[in-house]
């Protein structure tokens, strides 16, 4: 009988990274503190400098450290999550006069900013066309593309799709849509939101998303495909939210039926 093969030895870079991770998580190297240089790490762990460099790269992929040009590598401060819950479209919250994002930013003491990149008539993506109930082979929607910031740091990308035949000629075609935002204007058109459907998935970002959201290597995004349904259970708006997964939490409280 052939004896089992001994377990493969873990690469030195990974062993060093795991030890540094332990020291960071236990507070031995606190948030905001600079890591030892690659040379110092190599000497401390009896490894080559390239090995120490790879260990630091692994920590950066895990979101534990960040490099600051000309200054070194530092342990990241804990990130406070933006929490978007199932109540974000509630009448109670809408009565504040703030959008869900602005309300969450206010709760955290941050200054929100929303940049409207463009508002265009388009042929919708297939998944949007199916949920909104419009043609997927013609310019049947208005696409509003927004970038969201908190204290000038990018937080999320929101792509909102509305029916062209309803939005044309209204404030829905303008960057500023007036009191209560787009949902106020959609109510003017007879669509009162009574139910939502959110489809949530995690994935790696596209290069454009990673660049805008300033994501560290290895950090995924959360995608929420949101559909608003009115008093007649008809879909009237679909939005695709792309969140930084390291700064976003989703909280849902649902009745059990």
């Amino acid at each position: 009988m052939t004896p089992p093969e001994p377990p493969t030895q873990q690469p030195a870079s990974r062993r060093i990274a795991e030890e540094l991770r332990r020291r960071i998580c236990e507070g031995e190297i606190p948030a905001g503190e600079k890591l030892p240089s690659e040379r110092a790490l190599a000497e401390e762990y009896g490894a080559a400098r390239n090995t120490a460099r790879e260990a630091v790269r692994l920590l950066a992929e895990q979101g534990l450290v960040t490099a600051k040009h000309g200054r070194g590598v530092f342990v990241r401060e804990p990130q406070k999550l933006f929490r978007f819950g199932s109540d974000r479209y509630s009448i109670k919250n809408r009565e504040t006069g703030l959008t869900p994002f602005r309300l969450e930013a206010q709760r955290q003491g941050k200054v929100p900013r929303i940049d409207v990149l463009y508002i265009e008539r388009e042929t919708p993506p297939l998944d949007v066309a199916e949920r909104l109930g419009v043609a997927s082979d013609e310019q049947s929607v208005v696409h509003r593309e927004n970038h969201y910031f908190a204290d000038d740091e990018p937080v999320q990308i929101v792509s909102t799709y509305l029916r062209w035949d309803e939005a044309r000629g209204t404030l829905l075609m303008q960057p500023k849509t007036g009191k209560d935002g787009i949902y106020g204007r959609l109510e003017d058109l007879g669509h009162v939101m009574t139910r939502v459907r959110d489809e949530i998935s995690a994935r790696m970002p596209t290069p454009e998303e990673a660049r805008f959201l300033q994501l560290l290597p290895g950090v995924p995004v959360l995608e929420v495909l949101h559909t608003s349904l009115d008093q007649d259970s008809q879909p009237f708006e679909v939005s695709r939210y792309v969140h930084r997964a390291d700064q976003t939490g989703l909280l849902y409280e649902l009745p059990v039926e």
Side-chain angles (χ1 to χ4, degrees):
M1 183 176 184
T2 304
E5 294 183 1
T8 303
Q9 188 175 17
Q10 193 176 42
S13 59
R14 191 166 295 277
R15 285 190 282 109
I16 295 171
E18 289 189 357
E19 172 59 18
L20 289 171
R21 179 186 177 90
R22 180 195 65 76
R23 292 169 62 184
I24 291 169
C25 292
E26 293 180 1
E28 185 179 334
I29 309 177
E33 185 166 315
K34 184 179 177 180
L35 282 187
S37 67
E38 292 174 1
R39 185 186 299 276
L41 287 172
E43 292 177 356
E44 180 179 354
Y45 290 99
R49 189 167 175 177
N50 284 347
T51 301
R53 182 180 300 119
E54 175 65 11
V56 173
R57 186 190 69 79
L58 291 170
L59 292 176
E61 282 190 349
Q62 296 169 24
L64 292 173
V65 300
T66 185
K68 298 183 179 180
H69 184 67
R71 296 177 56 196
V73 178
F74 294 79
V75 177
R76 292 188 75 197
E77 299 284 348
Q79 300 295 301
K80 187 172 182 180
L81 293 179
F82 273 73
R83 294 196 178 275
F84 298 101
S86 54
D87 66 340
R88 62 189 182 276
Y89 301 109
S90 68
I91 294 176
K92 177 187 69 175
N93 283 342
R94 288 185 58 191
E95 286 175 349
T96 66
L98 299 174
T99 64
F101 178 77
R102 292 186 184 278
L103 183 59
E104 177 64 16
Q106 183 185 78
R107 287 169 177 165
Q108 294 197 22
K110 295 180 180 292
V111 177
R113 188 178 95 238
I114 303 173
D115 289 353
V116 181
L117 270 66
Y118 57 83
I119 304 170
E120 295 180 357
R121 183 182 182 182
E122 289 184 355
T123 300
L126 182 59
D127 57 355
V128 170
E130 289 175 345
R131 287 155 182 79
L132 196 53
V134 296
S136 61
D137 57 354
E138 60 184 66
Q139 293 186 320
S140 57
V141 299
V142 170
H143 175 191
R144 297 176 60 96
E145 185 75 3
N146 295 341
H147 284 176
Y148 286 65
F149 300 80
D151 287 349
D152 291 326
E153 292 187 1
V155 176
Q156 64 182 11
I157 301 167
V158 181
S159 307
T160 295
Y161 298 90
L162 309 167
R163 290 191 183 89
W164 163 248
D165 58 3
E166 290 187 322
R168 61 180 176 180
T170 73
L171 285 174
L172 294 169
M173 299 296 297
Q174 302 299 320
K176 294 184 178 181
T177 54
K179 185 177 182 298
D180 295 329
I182 67 168
Y183 294 115
R185 304 295 69 73
L186 288 163
E187 283 193 6
D188 294 343
L189 294 172
H191 298 296
V192 178
M193 186 191 303
T194 58
R195 192 157 53 92
V196 301
R197 181 187 301 120
D198 285 352
E199 301 168 65
I200 304 164
S201 58
R203 59 173 173 81
M204 298 309 296
T206 66
E208 293 77 14
E209 290 167 345
R211 185 163 47 252
F212 167 70
L213 294 171
Q214 300 176 13
L215 296 174
L216 294 170
V219 176
V221 294
L222 290 176
E223 178 176 303
V224 180
L225 188 58
H226 164 90
T227 304
S228 296
L229 298 116
D230 66 14
Q231 67 279 2
D232 299 318
S233 296
Q234 295 300 308
F236 62 92
E237 173 254 346
V238 173
S239 290
R240 191 187 313 276
Y241 295 82
V242 179
H243 303 277
R244 292 182 57 132
D246 61 341
Q247 292 187 2
T248 304
L250 300 172
L251 174 63
Y252 288 84
E253 295 183 9
L254 307 172
V256 177
E257 298 178 349

